[in-house]
């Protein structure tokens, strides 16, 4: 099993960040690499909710993954599973309020565990583990930056542009 974890402090309250994470149809509006989101289950986000997300890869190619919600604890934790070839992935988003000088900040952590489901999954993890881990870490850092940017008030976002 390999694990990648990234944390960033974001200048926004956890409830605002949670809404961005769980409003699935809107993910393509704020995640810079997401081209499309296709909902596979109706209703509000809850365990069992499934969707497909198509992202642009660094080489420009499109890659589609399917996600299923395993656990959703509002404003605190979102756990997703995603099947791969010989490996299943579990991604956990954790939000923790951080108060400094009266400002609302949230420590957002995203962690992915790769769980081999077939013998060749273990072999691939050994051969490509470091390279894949660096790619996943970079993608998570970009997603956290996108989340921080989407959470900025419109005036702050315009001033930063």
């Amino acid at each position: 099993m390999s694990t990648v974890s990234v944390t960033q402090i974001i200048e926004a309250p956890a409830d605002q960040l949670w809404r961005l994470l769980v409003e699935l149809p809107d993910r393509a509006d704020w995640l810079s690499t997401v081209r499309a989101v296709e909902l596979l289950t109706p209703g509000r986000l809850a365990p069992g909710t499934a969707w497909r997300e198509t992202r642009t890869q660094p080489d420009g190619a499109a890659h589609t993954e399917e996600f299923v919600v395993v656990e959703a604890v509002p404003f605190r934790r979102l756990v997703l599973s995603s099947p791969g070839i010989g490996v299943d992935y579990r991604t956990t988003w954790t939000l923790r309020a951080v108060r400094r000088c009266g400002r609302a900040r949230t420590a957002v952590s995203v962690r992915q565990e790769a769980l081999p489901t077939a013998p060749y999954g273990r072999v691939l993890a050994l051969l490509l583990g470091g390279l894949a881990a660096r790619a996943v870490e970079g993608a998570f850092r970009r997603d956290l930056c996108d989340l921080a940017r989407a959470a900025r008030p419109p005036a702050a976002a315009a001033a930063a542009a």
Side-chain angles (χ1 to χ4, degrees):
M1 175 175 77
S2 66
T3 302
V4 175
S5 185
V6 177
T7 301
Q8 180 174 325
I9 304 290
I10 297 178
E11 301 262 350
D15 62 329
Q16 179 185 1
L17 300 174
W18 177 261
R19 281 191 298 276
L20 286 165
L21 289 173
V22 302
E23 290 297 327
L24 301 177
D26 298 338
R27 289 172 68 84
D29 295 339
W30 63 269
L31 281 165
S32 61
T33 60
V34 173
R35 286 186 185 178
V37 174
E38 176 190 359
L39 296 175
L40 302 176
T41 54
R44 297 184 62 118
L45 185 130
T49 298
W51 76 96
R52 285 190 192 102
E53 195 168 278
T54 302
R55 288 184 176 244
T56 303
Q57 300 300 300
D59 65 0
H63 177 72
T64 301
E65 289 183 89
E66 189 169 309
F67 295 94
V68 176
V69 175
V70 175
E71 180 183 9
V73 180
F75 319 126
R76 296 189 52 212
R77 185 175 48 255
L78 179 63
V79 181
L80 311 173
S81 69
S82 179
I85 299 172
V87 179
D88 280 346
Y89 299 96
R90 182 169 287 233
T91 304
T92 303
W93 290 82
T94 305
L95 292 78
R96 184 176 48 85
V98 177
R99 291 271 178 206
R100 283 198 190 134
C101 302
R103 295 170 69 181
R105 295 180 179 160
T106 306
V108 182
S109 298
V110 59
R111 173 187 171 111
Q112 184 183 73
E113 298 171 278
L115 309 163
T117 58
Y120 62 86
R122 286 182 173 82
V123 172
L124 284 174
L126 287 172
L127 295 174
L128 302 174
L131 179 62
R134 284 190 297 278
V136 169
E137 181 181 343
F140 285 158
R141 288 190 189 285
R142 185 174 40 254
D143 287 354
L144 287 169
C145 285
D146 289 345
L147 181 62
R149 190 175 306 110
R152 277 190 204 140

